[in-house]
Amino acid sequence: MSLSDEIAERLLTAIINGDFPAGSMLPPEGELAERYAASRLTVREAVKVLRAQNVVRIHRGRGTYVNPPDRWTALEPVIRAAAGASRSGGVVSERLIEARRMIEIGAVELAAVRRSKEDLEQLRSLLDDMRDAAAAQDTDLFVSADIAFHDCVMRAAGNAFIPLLFEPFGRLLEEGRRETSAVPAIRENAIAHHALILEALITGDARQARQAMDAHMAQTVDDLRVHVLSAPNVADPESSHGSV
């Protein structure tokens, strides 16, 4: 990584952390150069990197201004901003579920007619892992098995592009699952819905599979609102791993 790229990363981090909020003007080049112990030329190149991603915009004669994240055009900065926002509210979590719903309902419909015997065996094993983790109150194991179950469904759809759609969101998915899966009632609901999804995939009924995944996504949103967003403390006191 070049020095200008490194400065761009540090500047992006400062923007995401709120040092330079959306709509604000970045300090002059000289001040940024002093802040990051770099030359003005290096700072100028770093700002160009962020400008190419539409993180900032330049008004000649006025200065460089920070754009809101919904105008950024590069995926990595958007994901980093979303990860930061998810720690302070549930809006990002709900938006992520919306995106999952759009993709996973279609994926499970394809998986119902394309899944292999090996896919079904893996899904059964992962569902057993979820049950074992819930019984052991092991949130980490539960989250791993849950994510792996959905990943298996997407791969069973037989379309190489589908699993790749969510690959950049791995960190957000894990954080969101950890937040909700720390609640025993949510674990129970998840197991029940995953069992219905597996049943539909076993029978090869695409319509049933679609309905089962849709119901699971709806339940996930409801659980998030009832057990997490409205609760003053979502930590599971019985979990050996706690929650994030």
Side-chain angles (χ1 to χ4, degrees):
M1 179 184 293
S2 67
L3 182 56
S4 59
D5 287 334
E6 181 181 335
I7 299 301
E9 282 290 306
R10 294 174 64 185
L11 188 52
L12 176 62
T13 298
I15 290 172
I16 291 173
N17 289 342
D19 294 349
F20 308 119
S24 67
M25 185 175 68
L26 292 183
E29 282 183 2
E31 186 175 330
L32 289 175
E34 183 176 349
R35 174 178 179 140
Y36 296 116
S39 69
R40 289 192 177 206
L41 178 60
T42 299
V43 168
R44 191 174 305 139
E45 291 299 316
V47 171
K48 284 182 180 179
V49 171
L50 297 183
R51 183 188 182 189
Q53 300 170 343
N54 211 38
V55 174
V56 300
R57 64 187 185 279
I58 297 175
H59 292 289
R60 296 195 180 280
R62 294 171 53 193
T64 302
Y65 293 81
V66 179
N67 287 326
D70 61 6
R71 292 180 56 187
W72 300 358
T73 55
L75 185 58
E76 177 62 24
V78 171
I79 292 174
R80 287 176 58 184
S86 67
R87 300 185 186 98
S88 59
V91 175
V92 172
S93 296
E94 291 200 43
R95 294 295 180 267
L96 185 58
I97 294 171
E98 285 179 357
R100 287 181 54 203
R101 192 171 195 161
M102 293 176 65
I103 297 173
E104 293 198 56
I105 289 176
V108 78
E109 190 174 19
L110 290 174
V113 296
R114 296 179 179 176
R115 84 288 184 274
S116 66
K117 182 183 297 185
E118 290 75 18
D119 291 327
L120 294 178
E121 290 175 355
Q122 184 177 2
L123 289 168
R124 288 192 187 96
S125 177
L126 291 168
L127 182 57
D128 286 341
D129 288 343
M130 291 176 67
R131 289 177 173 135
D132 291 343
Q137 300 168 8
D138 189 331
T139 301
D140 287 344
L141 178 59
F142 189 91
V143 169
S144 296
D146 186 355
I147 292 177
F149 185 100
H150 285 267
D151 183 65
C152 184
V153 169
M154 287 191 284
R155 295 186 184 282
N159 186 317
F161 295 104
I162 293 176
L164 295 177
L165 292 173
F166 270 109
E167 187 172 325
F169 299 94
R171 182 174 59 182
L172 279 178
L173 286 170
E174 185 173 350
E175 289 179 358
R177 295 296 219 297
R178 194 178 304 280
E179 181 182 36
T180 55
S181 297
V183 182
I186 294 181
R187 293 198 294 262
E188 293 174 8
N189 288 337
I191 289 171
H193 281 278
H194 282 71
L196 292 174
I197 292 169
L198 177 56
E199 180 182 340
L201 292 175
I202 291 172
T203 62
D205 189 327
R207 181 179 179 183
Q208 182 184 349
R210 185 181 183 91
Q211 291 174 339
M213 184 64 78
D214 189 28
H216 173 42
M217 292 293 117
Q219 183 67 57
T220 301
V221 172
D222 186 62
D223 283 341
L224 177 69
R225 292 172 177 170
V226 172
H227 297 287
V228 178
L229 301 184
S230 63
N233 185 353
V234 300
D236 176 5
E238 298 179 350
S239 172
S240 61
H241 295 271
S243 64
V244 174

mmCIF file of all heavy atoms in Angstrom, residues 10-37:
data_model
loop_
_atom_site.group_PDB
_atom_site.id
_atom_site.type_symbol
_atom_site.label_atom_id
_atom_site.label_comp_id
_atom_site.label_asym_id
_atom_site.label_seq_id
_atom_site.Cartn_x
_atom_site.Cartn_y
_atom_site.Cartn_z
ATOM 1 N N ARG A 10 -6.699 6.249 6.517
ATOM 2 C CA ARG A 10 -6.789 6.927 7.814
ATOM 3 C C ARG A 10 -7.815 8.057 7.768
ATOM 4 O O ARG A 10 -8.569 8.276 8.729
ATOM 5 C CB ARG A 10 -5.419 7.451 8.222
ATOM 6 C CG ARG A 10 -4.401 6.349 8.494
ATOM 7 C CD ARG A 10 -3.010 6.907 8.753
ATOM 8 N NE ARG A 10 -2.965 7.720 9.956
ATOM 9 C CZ ARG A 10 -1.887 8.398 10.356
ATOM 10 N NH1 ARG A 10 -0.785 8.354 9.625
ATOM 11 N NH2 ARG A 10 -1.921 9.099 11.468
ATOM 12 N N LEU A 11 -7.858 8.739 6.644
ATOM 13 C CA LEU A 11 -8.824 9.822 6.490
ATOM 14 C C LEU A 11 -10.245 9.260 6.414
ATOM 15 O O LEU A 11 -11.181 9.825 7.007
ATOM 16 C CB LEU A 11 -8.495 10.623 5.233
ATOM 17 C CG LEU A 11 -9.262 11.928 4.983
ATOM 18 C CD1 LEU A 11 -9.191 12.840 6.207
ATOM 19 C CD2 LEU A 11 -8.697 12.645 3.761
ATOM 20 N N LEU A 12 -10.406 8.153 5.713
ATOM 21 C CA LEU A 12 -11.718 7.502 5.653
ATOM 22 C C LEU A 12 -12.160 7.059 7.037
ATOM 23 O O LEU A 12 -13.333 7.221 7.412
ATOM 24 C CB LEU A 12 -11.661 6.299 4.708
ATOM 25 C CG LEU A 12 -12.939 5.455 4.624
ATOM 26 C CD1 LEU A 12 -14.100 6.277 4.084
ATOM 27 C CD2 LEU A 12 -12.699 4.219 3.745
ATOM 28 N N THR A 13 -11.238 6.510 7.815
ATOM 29 C CA THR A 13 -11.562 6.099 9.183
ATOM 30 C C THR A 13 -12.029 7.289 10.009
ATOM 31 O O THR A 13 -12.993 7.192 10.772
ATOM 32 C CB THR A 13 -10.334 5.448 9.848
ATOM 33 O OG1 THR A 13 -9.965 4.276 9.118
ATOM 34 C CG2 THR A 13 -10.636 5.070 11.295
ATOM 35 N N ALA A 14 -11.357 8.412 9.845
ATOM 36 C CA ALA A 14 -11.755 9.621 10.571
ATOM 37 C C ALA A 14 -13.152 10.078 10.156
ATOM 38 O O ALA A 14 -13.952 10.518 10.989
ATOM 39 C CB ALA A 14 -10.739 10.733 10.326
ATOM 40 N N ILE A 15 -13.462 9.942 8.879
ATOM 41 C CA ILE A 15 -14.793 10.317 8.392
ATOM 42 C C ILE A 15 -15.851 9.384 8.976
ATOM 43 O O ILE A 15 -16.896 9.829 9.462
ATOM 44 C CB ILE A 15 -14.820 10.274 6.843
ATOM 45 C CG1 ILE A 15 -13.967 11.420 6.273
ATOM 46 C CG2 ILE A 15 -16.251 10.359 6.323
ATOM 47 C CD1 ILE A 15 -13.763 11.345 4.772
ATOM 48 N N ILE A 16 -15.586 8.082 8.951
ATOM 49 C CA ILE A 16 -16.539 7.104 9.481
ATOM 50 C C ILE A 16 -16.727 7.285 10.982
ATOM 51 O O ILE A 16 -17.840 7.134 11.512
ATOM 52 C CB ILE A 16 -16.064 5.673 9.156
ATOM 53 C CG1 ILE A 16 -16.160 5.422 7.641
ATOM 54 C CG2 ILE A 16 -16.890 4.634 9.920
ATOM 55 C CD1 ILE A 16 -15.563 4.109 7.193
ATOM 56 N N ASN A 17 -15.652 7.642 11.678
ATOM 57 C CA ASN A 17 -15.743 7.837 13.130
ATOM 58 C C ASN A 17 -16.420 9.144 13.519
ATOM 59 O O ASN A 17 -16.658 9.397 14.697
ATOM 60 C CB ASN A 17 -14.344 7.790 13.753
ATOM 61 C CG ASN A 17 -13.752 6.394 13.737
ATOM 62 O OD1 ASN A 17 -14.468 5.408 13.576
ATOM 63 N ND2 ASN A 17 -12.445 6.293 13.891
ATOM 64 N N GLY A 18 -16.707 9.991 12.531
ATOM 65 C CA GLY A 18 -17.412 11.233 12.816
ATOM 66 C C GLY A 18 -16.534 12.436 13.037
ATOM 67 O O GLY A 18 -17.034 13.521 13.367
ATOM 68 N N ASP A 19 -15.233 12.278 12.851
ATOM 69 C CA ASP A 19 -14.346 13.439 12.979
ATOM 70 C C ASP A 19 -14.687 14.479 11.918
ATOM 71 O O ASP A 19 -14.588 15.684 12.158
ATOM 72 C CB ASP A 19 -12.881 13.019 12.831
ATOM 73 C CG ASP A 19 -12.423 12.111 13.967
ATOM 74 O OD1 ASP A 19 -13.166 11.979 14.950
ATOM 75 O OD2 ASP A 19 -11.317 11.540 13.864
ATOM 76 N N PHE A 20 -15.062 13.992 10.745
ATOM 77 C CA PHE A 20 -15.479 14.865 9.651
ATOM 78 C C PHE A 20 -16.838 14.359 9.149
ATOM 79 O O PHE A 20 -16.899 13.533 8.229
ATOM 80 C CB PHE A 20 -14.446 14.851 8.513
ATOM 81 C CG PHE A 20 -13.035 15.130 8.961
ATOM 82 C CD1 PHE A 20 -12.034 14.193 8.771
ATOM 83 C CD2 PHE A 20 -12.715 16.328 9.577
ATOM 84 C CE1 PHE A 20 -10.733 14.432 9.176
ATOM 85 C CE2 PHE A 20 -11.410 16.587 9.995
ATOM 86 C CZ PHE A 20 -10.426 15.636 9.800
ATOM 87 N N PRO A 21 -17.927 14.795 9.742
ATOM 88 C CA PRO A 21 -19.256 14.280 9.378
ATOM 89 C C PRO A 21 -19.694 14.702 7.982
ATOM 90 O O PRO A 21 -19.110 15.620 7.376
ATOM 91 C CB PRO A 21 -20.162 14.891 10.451
ATOM 92 C CG PRO A 21 -19.428 16.093 10.938
ATOM 93 C CD PRO A 21 -17.977 15.776 10.830
ATOM 94 N N ALA A 22 -20.715 14.041 7.478
ATOM 95 C CA ALA A 22 -21.246 14.355 6.150
ATOM 96 C C ALA A 22 -21.650 15.824 6.082
ATOM 97 O O ALA A 22 -22.277 16.350 6.990
ATOM 98 C CB ALA A 22 -22.444 13.468 5.844
ATOM 99 N N GLY A 23 -21.258 16.473 4.989
ATOM 100 C CA GLY A 23 -21.578 17.878 4.794
ATOM 101 C C GLY A 23 -20.510 18.829 5.283
ATOM 102 O O GLY A 23 -20.519 20.009 4.931
ATOM 103 N N SER A 24 -19.599 18.322 6.102
ATOM 104 C CA SER A 24 -18.541 19.188 6.637
ATOM 105 C C SER A 24 -17.405 19.328 5.629
ATOM 106 O O SER A 24 -17.254 18.519 4.714
ATOM 107 C CB SER A 24 -17.996 18.624 7.947
ATOM 108 O OG SER A 24 -17.313 17.400 7.728
ATOM 109 N N MET A 25 -16.607 20.352 5.829
ATOM 110 C CA MET A 25 -15.466 20.594 4.947
ATOM 111 C C MET A 25 -14.210 20.034 5.592
ATOM 112 O O MET A 25 -13.981 20.213 6.795
ATOM 113 C CB MET A 25 -15.299 22.098 4.696
ATOM 114 C CG MET A 25 -14.201 22.425 3.699
ATOM 115 S SD MET A 25 -14.117 24.198 3.291
ATOM 116 C CE MET A 25 -13.542 24.864 4.868
ATOM 117 N N LEU A 26 -13.410 19.333 4.805
ATOM 118 C CA LEU A 26 -12.144 18.823 5.319
ATOM 119 C C LEU A 26 -11.189 19.990 5.602
ATOM 120 O O LEU A 26 -11.267 21.036 4.949
ATOM 121 C CB LEU A 26 -11.497 17.883 4.305
ATOM 122 C CG LEU A 26 -12.174 16.541 4.033
ATOM 123 C CD1 LEU A 26 -11.336 15.733 3.046
ATOM 124 C CD2 LEU A 26 -12.377 15.753 5.318
ATOM 125 N N PRO A 27 -10.297 19.816 6.563
ATOM 126 C CA PRO A 27 -9.286 20.853 6.818
ATOM 127 C C PRO A 27 -8.431 21.069 5.576
ATOM 128 O O PRO A 27 -8.334 20.197 4.706
ATOM 129 C CB PRO A 27 -8.472 20.264 7.978
ATOM 130 C CG PRO A 27 -9.371 19.265 8.621
ATOM 131 C CD PRO A 27 -10.196 18.696 7.523
ATOM 132 N N PRO A 28 -7.763 22.191 5.470
ATOM 133 C CA PRO A 28 -6.875 22.467 4.334
ATOM 134 C C PRO A 28 -5.761 21.425 4.227
ATOM 135 O O PRO A 28 -5.434 20.738 5.200
ATOM 136 C CB PRO A 28 -6.302 23.854 4.657
ATOM 137 C CG PRO A 28 -7.273 24.455 5.621
ATOM 138 C CD PRO A 28 -7.819 23.324 6.421
ATOM 139 N N GLU A 29 -5.178 21.329 3.034
ATOM 140 C CA GLU A 29 -4.113 20.348 2.794
ATOM 141 C C GLU A 29 -2.988 20.463 3.809
ATOM 142 O O GLU A 29 -2.487 19.451 4.306
ATOM 143 C CB GLU A 29 -3.525 20.529 1.389
ATOM 144 C CG GLU A 29 -4.359 19.952 0.288
ATOM 145 C CD GLU A 29 -3.688 20.112 -1.069
ATOM 146 O OE1 GLU A 29 -2.553 20.648 -1.105
ATOM 147 O OE2 GLU A 29 -4.281 19.705 -2.083
ATOM 148 N N GLY A 30 -2.585 21.707 4.116
ATOM 149 C CA GLY A 30 -1.479 21.895 5.049
ATOM 150 C C GLY A 30 -1.778 21.317 6.416
ATOM 151 O O GLY A 30 -0.925 20.685 7.049
ATOM 152 N N GLU A 31 -3.011 21.522 6.878
ATOM 153 C CA GLU A 31 -3.402 20.999 8.193
ATOM 154 C C GLU A 31 -3.468 19.483 8.173
ATOM 155 O O GLU A 31 -3.040 18.815 9.131
ATOM 156 C CB GLU A 31 -4.758 21.586 8.582
ATOM 157 C CG GLU A 31 -5.195 21.226 9.995
ATOM 158 C CD GLU A 31 -6.480 21.925 10.384
ATOM 159 O OE1 GLU A 31 -6.728 23.051 9.881
ATOM 160 O OE2 GLU A 31 -7.253 21.346 11.183
ATOM 161 N N LEU A 32 -3.985 18.902 7.088
ATOM 162 C CA LEU A 32 -4.042 17.445 6.982
ATOM 163 C C LEU A 32 -2.635 16.861 6.873
ATOM 164 O O LEU A 32 -2.352 15.800 7.447
ATOM 165 C CB LEU A 32 -4.871 17.029 5.764
ATOM 166 C CG LEU A 32 -6.381 17.259 5.866
ATOM 167 C CD1 LEU A 32 -7.063 16.925 4.543
ATOM 168 C CD2 LEU A 32 -6.983 16.417 6.988
ATOM 169 N N ALA A 33 -1.761 17.558 6.167
ATOM 170 C CA ALA A 33 -0.376 17.095 6.031
ATOM 171 C C ALA A 33 0.298 17.033 7.397
ATOM 172 O O ALA A 33 1.033 16.084 7.710
ATOM 173 C CB ALA A 33 0.398 18.018 5.097
ATOM 174 N N GLU A 34 0.028 18.034 8.211
ATOM 175 C CA GLU A 34 0.608 18.051 9.555
ATOM 176 C C GLU A 34 -0.018 16.959 10.426
ATOM 177 O O GLU A 34 0.674 16.285 11.191
ATOM 178 C CB GLU A 34 0.370 19.426 10.185
ATOM 179 C CG GLU A 34 1.002 19.573 11.562
ATOM 180 C CD GLU A 34 0.827 20.969 12.125
ATOM 181 O OE1 GLU A 34 0.402 21.873 11.360
ATOM 182 O OE2 GLU A 34 1.104 21.156 13.324
ATOM 183 N N ARG A 35 -1.317 16.779 10.287
ATOM 184 C CA ARG A 35 -2.032 15.782 11.086
ATOM 185 C C ARG A 35 -1.507 14.377 10.805
ATOM 186 O O ARG A 35 -1.363 13.563 11.729
ATOM 187 C CB ARG A 35 -3.532 15.860 10.775
ATOM 188 C CG ARG A 35 -4.376 14.765 11.430
ATOM 189 C CD ARG A 35 -5.850 14.945 11.114
ATOM 190 N NE ARG A 35 -6.661 13.889 11.710
ATOM 191 C CZ ARG A 35 -7.826 14.063 12.270
ATOM 192 N NH1 ARG A 35 -8.351 15.263 12.356
ATOM 193 N NH2 ARG A 35 -8.506 13.039 12.758
ATOM 194 N N TYR A 36 -1.245 14.067 9.531
ATOM 195 C CA TYR A 36 -0.835 12.719 9.153
ATOM 196 C C TYR A 36 0.663 12.606 8.879
ATOM 197 O O TYR A 36 1.127 11.581 8.373
ATOM 198 C CB TYR A 36 -1.633 12.263 7.930
ATOM 199 C CG TYR A 36 -3.118 12.139 8.213
ATOM 200 C CD1 TYR A 36 -4.038 12.955 7.559
ATOM 201 C CD2 TYR A 36 -3.597 11.223 9.143
ATOM 202 C CE1 TYR A 36 -5.398 12.853 7.827
ATOM 203 C CE2 TYR A 36 -4.945 11.111 9.416
ATOM 204 C CZ TYR A 36 -5.845 11.936 8.752
ATOM 205 O OH TYR A 36 -7.186 11.838 9.022
ATOM 206 N N ALA A 37 1.406 13.648 9.200
ATOM 207 C CA ALA A 37 2.866 13.643 9.019
ATOM 208 C C ALA A 37 3.247 13.238 7.607
ATOM 209 O O ALA A 37 4.060 12.329 7.373
ATOM 210 C CB ALA A 37 3.510 12.704 10.044
#
